[in-house]
Amino acid sequence: RVAGLQLADREPFPGRNGKGIHRESDSDEEQFGKVHVTKITFFTIFLPIFPASCRKSPTFRSEILVMAEELKIATGSKEERYSLLYEQMKALLADEVDEVARMANAAAMIHFTFGFFWTGFYRVKGDELVLGPFQGPLACMRIRYGRGVCGTAWKEAKTLVVPDVEQFPGHIACSSLSRSEIVVPVWRDEVIIGVLDIDSQELSTFDEVDQQWLEKIIAII
Ligand code: SME
């Protein structure tokens, strides 16, 4: 089974209603009260049961995709968004043991819930952080221990909230468009195995609410 995020306006993987991200107001109101939600459609691809020659066909690929999950995004407060995100992430990750797969969907869910500029993971490999699953523009692939915001969060073993990246000594600018940042260490059995890094194009995007929720989210990845 291969699961992937697919924005439906990108052929050949059209979404249920022709738009992968869409506003929803009727059916979801029953479940989420008056909160309007945005849906991002996920698909499950049951490819292995078909021969390779068949799987290469564009027609096959556009028709055999089966929708597995939907990401619902509350448009209310930051807390409401995180709360709904957390519940969905818990459910989605419950059956998956692969670390990269978990990080990949976690990055996508966080990224599209808030529309951040860059959301992704760096994984500890020796004395470096190596780029892991992410959503957003191309990024630096390796960061040394203690370098930049990511390497410093790893070294200090704590979440770093940076309201203005230009004021952070040694900040690594993978993109000049990034203005503020939060980095949350990922723990496994008392050891840091990576960091979650989120960049925003606005100053002061992240605060203690983001820190608390992201630490809670990271604990289930
Ligand atoms: N700004 C980070 C580097 C990673 S990118 O932002 C994706 C840092 O200073 O560690």
Side-chain angles (χ1 to χ4, degrees), residues 54-116:
C54 177
R55 296 204 300 264
K56 285 178 187 156
S57 150
T59 307
F60 171 90
R61 292 180 67 81
S62 63
E63 290 179 359
I64 299 299
L65 295 171
V66 178
M67 187 175 70
E69 304 290 345
E70 292 175 337
L71 176 63
K72 294 183 171 61
I73 303 171
T75 54
S77 68
K78 195 189 270 192
E79 287 88 345
E80 286 169 334
R81 289 186 183 218
Y82 273 118
S83 176
L84 188 52
L85 169 65
Y86 178 74
E87 292 308 320
Q88 292 177 94
M89 198 175 294
K90 245 191 339 192
L92 183 69
L93 302 187
D95 298 327
E96 181 53 66
V97 294
D98 185 86
E99 189 177 286
V100 172
R102 296 164 69 84
M103 288 180 173
N105 264 344
M109 294 175 86
I110 297 167
H111 191 76
F112 287 100
T113 291
F114 292 98
F116 291 133

Side-chain angles (χ1 to χ4, degrees), residues 28-212:
D28 291 283
E29 279 189 5
E30 288 173 21
Q31 200 177 347
F32 298 101
K34 296 276 181 205
V35 177
H36 288 246
V37 299
T38 300
K39 285 182 174 179
I40 295 175
T41 306
F42 288 78
F43 296 97
T44 296
I45 313 172
F46 296 98
L47 293 182
I49 58 173
F50 295 93
S53 55
C54 177
R55 296 204 300 264
K56 285 178 187 156
S57 150
T59 307
F60 171 90
R61 292 180 67 81
S62 63
E63 290 179 359
I64 299 299
L65 295 171
V66 178
M67 187 175 70
E69 304 290 345
E70 292 175 337
L71 176 63
K72 294 183 171 61
I73 303 171
T75 54
S77 68
K78 195 189 270 192
E79 287 88 345
E80 286 169 334
R81 289 186 183 218
Y82 273 118
S83 176
L84 188 52
L85 169 65
Y86 178 74
E87 292 308 320
Q88 292 177 94
M89 198 175 294
K90 245 191 339 192
L92 183 69
L93 302 187
D95 298 327
E96 181 53 66
V97 294
D98 185 86
E99 189 177 286
V100 172
R102 296 164 69 84
M103 288 180 173
N105 264 344
M109 294 175 86
I110 297 167
H111 191 76
F112 287 100
T113 291
F114 292 98
F116 291 133
F117 177 64
W118 194 93
T119 310
F121 291 88
Y122 283 89
R123 302 167 71 215
V124 171
K125 301 271 177 188
D127 63 352
E128 289 181 318
L129 292 167
V130 180
L131 184 63
F134 73 94
Q135 297 283 334
L138 299 183
C140 323
M141 288 196 274
R142 288 175 186 266
I143 298 174
R144 299 289 295 276
Y145 181 73
R147 298 288 173 83
V149 185
C150 293
T152 305
W154 177 22
K155 184 177 179 183
E156 297 184 358
K158 66 176 190 189
T159 298
L160 293 180
V161 176
V162 182
D164 180 353
V165 295
E166 289 183 11
Q167 305 304 315
F168 188 95
H171 166 257
I172 299 166
C174 294
S175 166
S176 59
L177 296 175
S178 174
R179 308 287 301 282
S180 60
E181 184 166 356
I182 184 168
V183 178
V184 184
V186 181
W187 296 85
R188 198 69 89 239
D189 302 327
E190 318 271 309
V191 174
I192 293 179
I193 59 156
V195 297
L196 167 68
D197 179 19
I198 306 178
D199 289 13
S200 165
Q201 286 183 274
E202 313 294 328
L203 290 169
S204 304
T205 294
F206 307 102
D207 55 24
E208 54 288 340
V209 173
D210 299 277
Q211 176 172 350
Q212 282 169 10

